[in-house]
Amino acid sequence: MSPSALLSDRQRHDLVLAHLKNGVHLNGHSTLSKKASSTNGFIKADYLLDRNLHKAFPVVKGGKGNYLFLSDGRKIFDTTSGAAVSCLGHGNERVIDAITAQLKTGTPYLASTFWMSEVVEELCKELINGTDGKMARVYLTGSGSEAMESTVKMARQFFYEKDKNTPRVNFVARENSYHGNTLGALGISGHVARRAPYTPFLMDNVHHVSACNAYRQREEGESDASFVAKKAAELEAKFHELGPETVIGFICEPVVGAALGCVPSVPGYLNAMREVCHRHGALFILDEVMSGMGRCGTLHAWQGEDVVPDLQTIGKGLAGGYQPIAAVLISHKVVKALMNGSGQFIHGQTYQGMPVQAAAALEVQKIQREENLMKNVRVQGAYLEERLKTLLGDHPNVGDIRGRGLFWGLEFVKDKKTKEPFDLKMGIAQKLSDTAISPLFNITLYPGTGTADGVKGDHVIIAPSYIVTREEVDYIVKVIADVVHSVFSTI
Ligand SMILES: Cc1ncc(COP(=O)(O)O)c(C=O)c1O
């Protein structure tokens, strides 16, 4: 039972209000002294410089299944798998054993300049089999940003191999997108806040078209076909504005994660965009770092509509957080161009394709396949959707509930009719996340902003592990509903 279910509405309202107003800090946004914050189970770092220099964070001592255990004795339900990463939950013995066995070989790292390792090749074979042979090769990296960075270079090299003076220099990507934080990946991203400080350094040969956001853009009563036709026309126009012969490729997420809060593309959209790309000889590129590797109910999100990309990135769910690893899946067409050209990918880093990373990812992928976890993602995902819509669909500040598989977003609005977002200063998404993780509720919610127009707008992401049960879905939706009701009752 949700802890808050034990409280009356009045008590809950007063407690949340006290937390939010009086600095009884919910997750360490605090001016508390270091001593006070650490005795409360929060630590504000003195040595680590991470995303926030002022914030104290709760300390995790361990985890098992869907739960994280904090130093203050609390047990937190990990409703978000971290940042949609821990797809098998925490403390999976099979994965830990596979990593340990690999470490015991004495070579967790091997320089890919010199050596090959069987586990690395086995992982790549597993991944290619997972595409039914529709993709040809795998390039391994350490993070989603590196995978996107590599994709940008490989896409350019695809044309460069055939013509050293190729005019193909432009990418088209989308507004309200996030593809990573390295300069190339950020240059592609249409994330206003994350781009802002670095704009002078970002590639000016990336051009953006609008996202595919049915909630905010579709006319009342407009069909999928009509909406998709408008998007294809917009891309077509962008190609012509740039000169179609100058475009390397179009890049998008099949389901937009962090930037929009799980906005799925409208049926037919991916196919229509690929058609525009291919008609102009450009590449169709999918970023599935967040939405892929099972998160949407098929191993790859594109498999839902069988729209095979020319290049695709994968990340988070690949090794489920047991090792840092991401990858680029490369189509037959692109591999052929490299094979028939220089025979090399002009790129590389020290830590790529490490055997220990591969051992973790291979075991995670085998578990998913052997235990048919995709079925659980689809079944529990459908139930999660139904529960969220039943418990929160009528809430006056829940504007939209959207997603796919076990990847769901709630978008919050001040006015449900006009879809007007809240003032950014109110920090709605962060408040929801802080309240969720507080001792009143003990769950995680992944907050995001910029949902409405790139700057304003609030959402939270719900992305539980693929091992979540029906009873757990009941539990988390009940608690999430309590969190939402509590926070908005104080506003
Ligand atoms: C769609 C997408 N692409 C790329 C990235 C970057 O991945 P990483 O944080 O592993 O560098 C992310 C991270 O959230 C993502 O969601």
Side-chain angles (χ1 to χ4, degrees), residues 363-379:
E363 202 61 23
V364 169
Q365 293 312 307
K366 280 186 181 166
I367 293 169
Q368 279 198 41
R369 177 165 50 75
E370 288 164 14
E371 298 184 6
N372 195 12
L373 290 180
M374 288 308 87
K375 184 171 172 217
N376 196 50
V377 174
R378 289 192 291 272
V379 171

Side-chain angles (χ1 to χ4, degrees), residues 273-334:
M273 303 309 261
R274 184 178 63 173
E275 194 278 323
V276 173
C277 292
H278 285 180
R279 193 154 33 76
H280 294 298
L283 297 174
F284 176 66
I285 300 167
L286 290 180
D287 177 350
E288 294 208 8
V289 168
M290 200 168 191
S291 57
M293 298 320 291
R295 179 60 54 204
C296 290
T298 47
L299 188 60
H300 302 293
W302 57 258
Q303 287 171 325
E305 294 183 56
D306 198 25
V307 183
V308 186
D310 298 310
L311 288 167
Q312 172 196 355
T313 51
I314 54 176
K316 298 172 185 273
L318 174 54
Y322 286 91
Q323 282 286 307
I325 182 168
V328 187
L329 303 186
I330 309 150
S331 64
H332 293 272
K333 176 165 96 181
V334 174

Side-chain angles (χ1 to χ4, degrees), residues 27-43:
N27 84 346
H29 280 280
S30 92
T31 48
L32 295 176
S33 72
K34 186 174 161 244
K35 194 162 169 245
S37 60
S38 37
T39 53
N40 283 342
F42 289 84
I43 289 185

Side-chain angles (χ1 to χ4, degrees), residues 363-422:
E363 202 61 23
V364 169
Q365 293 312 307
K366 280 186 181 166
I367 293 169
Q368 279 198 41
R369 177 165 50 75
E370 288 164 14
E371 298 184 6
N372 195 12
L373 290 180
M374 288 308 87
K375 184 171 172 217
N376 196 50
V377 174
R378 289 192 291 272
V379 171
Q380 303 313 334
Y383 189 54
L384 178 62
E385 173 180 10
E386 189 267 300
R387 288 284 78 206
L388 283 170
K389 288 183 173 169
T390 304
L391 267 66
L392 285 167
D394 290 335
H395 190 283
N397 301 109
V398 176
D400 194 30
I401 301 174
R402 69 297 182 97
R404 196 175 286 166
L406 284 173
F407 196 37
W408 284 85
L410 304 178
E411 180 168 342
F412 300 96
V413 288
K414 195 165 152 193
D415 184 322
K416 207 158 174 154
K417 265 212 180 94
T418 62
K419 302 181 185 174
E420 185 192 345
F422 283 98

Side-chain angles (χ1 to χ4, degrees), residues 51 83 142-146 148 178-181 194 253 255 257-258 287-291 313 315-316 326 446:
R51 295 170 199 234
S143 70
S145 300
E146 290 168 49
M148 286 309 299
Y178 179 60
H179 298 290
N181 260 333
R194 292 186 191 181
E253 292 170 78
V255 179
D287 177 350
E288 294 208 8
V289 168
M290 200 168 191
S291 57
T313 51
K316 298 172 185 273
Y446 183 11

Side-chain angles (χ1 to χ4, degrees), residues 214 218-230 266-267:
R218 200 206 292 251
E219 309 276 335
E220 187 136 359
E222 188 179 15
S223 68
D224 286 353
S226 154
F227 186 64
V228 166
K230 282 188 197 160
V266 166

Side-chain angles (χ1 to χ4, degrees), residues 64-68 75-87 89-90 295 442-446 462-465 468 475-476:
K64 190 73 194 163
N66 288 314
Y67 285 93
L68 290 168
K75 197 175 151 189
I76 303 280
F77 195 104
D78 188 3
T79 311
T80 62
S81 306
V85 170
S86 306
C87 57
H90 305 283
R295 179 60 54 204
N442 291 316
I443 62 161
T444 55
L445 282 177
Y446 183 11
I462 300 146
S465 79
V468 74
Y475 171 75
I476 60 179

